[in-house]
Amino acid sequence: MSQKIALITGATSGIGKATASLFAKHGIKLILCGRRKERLNAIASELQKQTEVHTLSFDVRDKASVIGSLQSIPASFSEIDILINNAGNAHGLDPIQEGNIEDWEAMLDINVKGLLYVSKAIIPGMIHRKRGHIINIGSTAGKEVYPKGNVYCASKYAVDALNQGMRIDLNGKGIKVGAINPGLVETEFSKVRFKGDSNRAETVYQGYIPLQPEDIADIIWFAVTRPPHVNITDLTVMCLDQASSTIVNKNYDNI
Ligand code: NDP
Ligand code: 8X3
């Protein structure tokens, strides 16, 4: 079988970057996306030792840029087998009455509309080829609302709905659709949520052993390597010390 091609959004950091590394180890050809060009270039030059890599720098909020970038993919990378809809973040953690409108817009524009723009560009080729696999990165925040999570949770509930909707509408077209919904994963996520406040971000992952981005990459790899008739539709994963969005055992030393 010819080498598979994967497009990963949000490949400059965290879950997307770890998935890119694991895919590269397995010889998957990669289209890596993100806004930070220097990071994309650095990751590409590392992974090019293992596989072919094409990079695309665009902001998923910018519809024209998404469409233009995805149309620019060279022919040798254009038959995308695997789409990892991963780009996204939380912005702020405030009660709804104190929420910042720009934060709300960022989360809905990136996590929901950005995922739609990218999917809209990639799905027709998959339908044409009668094959493909779309993995949507949701969250436990899309399964359970937590205090001050309001709009971020809404954006991830939307990802959950879109994951189901895509699977329903693409049924019979040879395309797998599934979501991976992680709990707390130690990435740049909290640094972004708290607008660069590293000290506050670090406390989110202290006192217990959180998931690592490589743990999610492993699960994504498992999902994309199932036999052709098997589709992982919806998988939620938390670390041992997390029981729900609000219950995290932070007394690791006392166990
Ligand atoms: P990171 O902050 O480490 O990575 C986020 C990635 O998304 C970066 O590569 C970033 O690239 C990209 N991104 C963000 N905004 C944009 C944008 N406007 N346009 C294009 N790319 C963008 O966080 P994670 O790896 O943790 O997050 C990845 C996904 O996992 C997100 O969807 C998140 O909601 C989800 N998730 C995270 C959890 C966690 O606890 N960490 C738990 C559950 C789900 P760049 O800045 O270069 O554009
Ligand atoms: C990220 C997990 O609990 O910080 O989606 O919202 S949480």
Side-chain angles (χ1 to χ4, degrees):
M1 197 173 65
S2 64
Q3 208 181 4
K4 285 208 165 161
I5 300 173
L7 184 146
I8 304 174
T9 67
T12 55
S13 165
I15 293 168
K17 184 178 171 200
T19 304
S21 296
L22 186 56
F23 277 18
K25 260 186 215 151
H26 290 281
I28 304 283
K29 275 173 78 168
L30 294 170
I31 304 168
L32 303 181
C33 311
R35 289 166 301 178
R36 287 169 288 183
K37 244 186 201 160
E38 279 178 19
R39 281 204 189 192
L40 280 176
N41 291 340
I43 293 165
S45 61
E46 191 55 36
L47 299 187
Q48 266 154 357
K49 293 171 193 160
Q50 297 169 302
T51 189
E52 290 175 64
V53 182
H54 182 71
T55 61
L56 293 174
S57 169
F58 60 86
D59 186 327
V60 294
R61 281 173 292 195
D62 182 343
K63 192 172 24 178
S65 177
V66 173
I67 293 164
S69 299
L70 297 179
Q71 278 174 348
S72 76
I73 293 172
S76 60
F77 282 86
S78 64
E79 299 203 346
I80 294 162
D81 299 289
I82 302 166
L83 165 60
I84 310 290
N85 272 325
N86 165 73
N89 276 116
H91 293 268
L93 182 69
D94 303 296
I96 196 82
Q97 64 276 19
E98 290 166 26
N100 176 306
I101 289 182
E102 283 75 38
D103 285 344
W104 294 353
E105 286 171 343
M107 290 185 275
L108 296 171
D109 288 350
I110 298 166
N111 303 355
V112 184
K113 289 164 69 181
L115 179 149
L116 282 170
Y117 298 156
V118 173
S119 303
K120 172 88 176 153
I122 305 298
I123 286 171
M126 289 184 169
I127 292 177
H128 178 71
R129 291 185 292 279
K130 299 187 176 63
R131 65 184 157 85
H133 195 160
I134 301 170
I135 303 246
N136 296 306
I137 303 300
S139 170
T140 47
K143 300 289 183 183
E144 176 195 15
V145 178
Y146 55 84
K148 303 182 190 174
N150 45 68
V151 178
Y152 177 65
C153 293
S155 76
K156 289 300 186 178
Y157 270 76
V159 172
D160 189 29
L162 290 170
N163 180 61
Q164 295 179 49
M166 281 184 194
R167 192 168 55 252
I168 291 165
D169 294 343
L170 295 174
N171 181 249
K173 301 196 185 306
I175 300 170
K176 295 184 186 183
V177 180
I180 310 295
N181 306 295
L184 293 153
V185 189
E186 187 171 17
T187 65
E188 294 178 12
F189 177 88
S190 291
K191 199 171 163 200
V192 173
R193 167 169 254 174
F194 299 130
K195 304 180 192 311
D197 183 342
S198 303
N199 292 334
R200 192 174 173 198
E202 275 168 26
T203 64
V204 175
Y205 308 111
Q206 278 167 359
Y208 69 107
I209 301 178
L211 293 171
Q212 296 300 309
E214 291 74 18
D215 299 321
I216 308 305
D218 275 345
I219 292 167
I220 293 172
W221 179 248
F222 178 79
V224 301
T225 52
R226 291 312 82 211
H229 67 290
V230 178
N231 181 34
I232 308 250
T233 57
D234 192 58
L235 188 153
T236 296
V237 52
M238 298 184 206
C239 69
L240 173 63
D241 281 316
Q242 183 172 15
S244 75
S245 290
T246 50
I247 301 174
V248 182
N249 172 41
K250 288 208 169 192
N251 300 304
Y252 186 73
D253 289 336
N254 300 333
I255 291 174

